[in-house]
Amino acid sequence: MELRVCSKCVMPETHETIMYDAKGVCNICHQHDYKHEKIDWSAKEAEFKEIVDKYRNKGTYDCIIPFSGGKDSVFVLYTMMKKFKVKPLVVSFDHGFYRPHHLEQRDRILRQLGVDFMLFRPNQKIVRKLTLESLIRKGDFCWHCHTGVFSYPMHIAVKFKIPLLVWGESTAEYTSYNDFDNLDERDETAFNKWINLGITADDMVGMVGGEVEPRDLECYRYPKLRDLKAIDYRSICYGAYHQWDVRKHMEIINKELGWVGDEVEGVPQQYNFTKVECMMNGIRDYLKFIKRGYGRTTQLVTDDIRAGVLDREKGLAWVKECDGKKPASLKVFLDFVGITENEFNEIALKHAVSPWKCDPKDLKEGKELYDQKSWDLSFGEKNK
């Protein structure tokens, strides 16, 4: 069925937090107009420098950089070291789905920059249980990733008394949970508002049927607010103080660090810079299409249309060509969580957002990524 889409970009009515004005232009497009026309970014950057200077030389590290190795976290780490001259502790929560080339590139860049690096990989058998439970409850299997990525660096901040954390882009770039007038902080409010999908770690302990203990999920539980306040913490997005421009950032990290993109399931080759890290990105986008009628290509061309670097009609053509294909990686995911494709479809359809309707059986199959056969998910169904 046809969905209403923004008359300026191509984002449909099923997108979270979206609204349209009388001319059919979405609220996120208006935010981007405001971003380019109204904000004094020089003043914002000066404000950011003041925050960094406040926390500089107060301990072993000046700040924590939460790090995946994707384009955004690489740019933030490089900028914080080269422009703001900080000594960071780089902290990475390994959700278990990183692709081989990404891991090689991540480690090369960290060695090249010369940083202290802390990596945490949670119990992968528990991850499997959480993945399935999150899929059933929310139609989004990434609860362990959402919560772990945002809570684990906060635990490290408390443990080692490093009060400043610097994240990447603001959520105002793609949703209306925040706008460019408001500080986008990765604090307890944000964690409970949209990061944890409305499910706490204690909730999840009960949901998985007594198969895990509360202490098994500590890394997914946000630290106590009193402990964070005791270190005078700030958890901020550089994108709230800096005019975010993905293509410019990629030019910088490619030139200075040799960061390169990779083939990404379900998107045009010209977008080989986004979500290159994760084996399961194709599944995540496929779920979004079943539930909401759009996928990763829609999000990418929308960004480029707003930035004025892509014609809307060409963007729509790319969306029609690429969104909505069943990923070849689906069979890998199904084996990992231990369900059939019919069960997967039934779960996904329960989370469909009106007025969108979809029959997954009508969707064409996409091509397999070149590295899929090298993925290690040996802790899947056979090791349940």
Side-chain angles (χ1 to χ4, degrees):
M1 66 171 295
E2 291 292 330
L3 290 174
R4 180 188 183 189
V5 301
C6 174
S7 60
K8 184 175 181 179
C9 69
V10 296
M11 193 56 70
E13 61 187 302
T14 51
H15 180 62
E16 56 189 341
T17 74
I18 201 165
M19 296 182 290
Y20 302 104
D21 67 13
K23 295 181 179 180
V25 178
C26 75
N27 51 335
I28 304 169
C29 280
H30 284 304
Q31 285 186 181
H32 278 257
D33 291 341
Y34 185 87
K35 165 187 171 180
H36 292 292
E37 298 169 4
K38 302 293 185 181
I39 295 179
D40 183 344
W41 288 107
S42 295
K44 285 278 191 181
E45 194 112 358
E47 183 183 348
F48 179 79
K49 184 178 182 300
E50 287 182 8
I51 296 172
V52 174
D53 287 343
K54 174 185 174 182
Y55 290 99
R56 191 188 301 278
N57 295 324
K58 296 296 176 63
T60 305
Y61 300 99
D62 297 322
C63 65
I64 288 174
I65 307 292
F67 190 80
S68 70
K71 64 185 188 314
D72 297 331
S73 60
V74 169
F75 172 74
V76 171
L77 176 59
Y78 173 80
T79 302
M80 291 301 295
M81 294 184 69
K82 299 301 180 181
K83 183 174 183 177
F84 295 100
K85 308 298 183 184
V86 302
K87 180 186 178 183
L89 175 62
V90 179
V91 177
S92 183
F93 179 90
D94 182 349
H95 45 59
F97 299 154
Y98 283 140
R99 293 169 65 187
H101 175 262
H102 166 73
L103 292 173
E104 294 170 5
Q105 177 162 257
R106 179 199 69 187
D107 291 346
R108 175 183 60 78
I109 286 174
L110 291 173
R111 288 194 298 270
Q112 189 174 339
L113 284 171
V115 294
D116 291 349
F117 177 52
M118 180 175 290
L119 173 69
F120 177 77
R121 181 182 296 120
N123 182 324
Q124 295 296 284
K125 290 188 176 181
I126 291 178
V127 163
R128 179 190 171 279
K129 299 177 190 297
L130 300 176
T131 300
L132 179 57
E133 193 66 30
S134 178
L135 174 66
I136 293 169
R137 299 275 180 172
K138 289 293 181 177
D140 180 345
F141 59 86
C142 295
W143 180 88
H144 83 283
C145 179
H146 299 318
T147 56
V149 163
F150 284 98
S151 64
Y152 183 72
M154 305 305 295
H155 284 284
I156 297 303
V158 171
K159 183 177 180 64
F160 292 100
K161 296 181 173 56
I162 310 170
L164 179 63
L165 296 92
V166 182
W167 306 80
E169 65 183 339
S170 167
T171 58
E173 296 285 343
Y174 48 88
T175 75
S176 289
Y177 286 119
N178 292 287
D179 59 41
F180 288 107
D181 244 356
N182 297 321
L183 289 180
D184 185 3
E185 305 222 2
R186 293 294 195 266
D187 55 13
E188 185 180 44
T189 299
F191 188 81
N192 292 322
K193 183 177 181 180
W194 57 272
I195 291 169
N196 71 0
L197 306 178
I199 298 175
T200 68
D202 291 327
D203 293 335
M204 191 61 83
V205 169
M207 289 174 178
V208 295
E211 296 179 359
V212 300
E213 301 177 32
R215 65 178 180 170
D216 294 330
L217 302 190
E218 187 62 27
C219 61
Y220 308 107
R221 182 179 289 109
Y222 208 73
K224 292 180 174 61
L225 188 57
R226 65 173 179 268
D227 294 335
L228 289 166
K229 286 184 175 180
I231 62 169
D232 189 26
Y233 84 112
R234 289 291 300 274
S235 179
I236 60 178
C237 295
Y238 185 41
Y241 302 88
H242 163 81
Q243 190 166 6
W244 206 256
D245 188 325
V246 169
R247 294 189 181 278
K248 285 184 180 179
H249 298 170
M250 285 193 303
E251 289 177 8
I252 293 169
I253 61 177
N254 174 259
K255 178 182 177 182
E256 301 297 332
L257 300 172
W259 189 95
V260 294
D262 204 349
E263 184 181 0
V264 180
E265 195 166 27
V267 302
Q269 181 59 28
Q270 55 266 39
Y271 291 115
N272 68 344
F273 53 81
T274 185
K275 301 300 179 184
V276 299
E277 309 99 304
C278 187
M279 304 173 190
M280 299 302 182
N281 186 67
I283 311 302
R284 186 165 169 76
D285 292 338
Y286 183 55
L287 267 170
K288 181 171 286 187
F289 187 86
I290 295 174
K291 296 187 303 180
R292 297 181 181 268
Y294 73 98
R296 181 70 51 183
T297 302
T298 295
Q299 294 176 264
L300 292 166
V301 303
T302 289
D303 292 340
D304 278 353
I305 292 168
R306 289 173 182 151
V309 299
L310 178 66
D311 175 76
R312 187 175 186 273
E313 294 307 311
K314 182 178 286 188
L316 284 169
W318 286 348
V319 167
K320 185 175 180 181
E321 177 186 352
C322 297
D323 272 355
K325 290 182 179 177
K326 182 170 72 173
S329 59
L330 180 60
K331 57 182 177 289
V332 180
F333 178 81
L334 296 176
D335 178 64
F336 172 58
V337 295
I339 60 175
T340 67
E341 185 173 345
N342 284 338
E343 289 171 326
F344 176 91
N345 291 340
E346 288 175 5
I347 292 168
L349 289 170
K350 289 178 181 178
H351 296 277
V353 177
S354 180
W356 174 246
K357 293 182 180 179
C358 171
D359 186 345
K361 295 177 182 177
D362 294 336
L363 301 178
K364 297 178 181 179
E365 294 195 17
K367 73 182 187 73
E368 183 176 302
L369 288 177
Y370 73 94
D371 64 340
Q372 181 174 308
K373 289 183 173 59
S374 67
W375 296 352
D376 180 11
L377 287 170
S378 54
F379 50 87
E381 170 66 7
K382 59 188 176 183
N383 290 325
K384 185 169 70 170

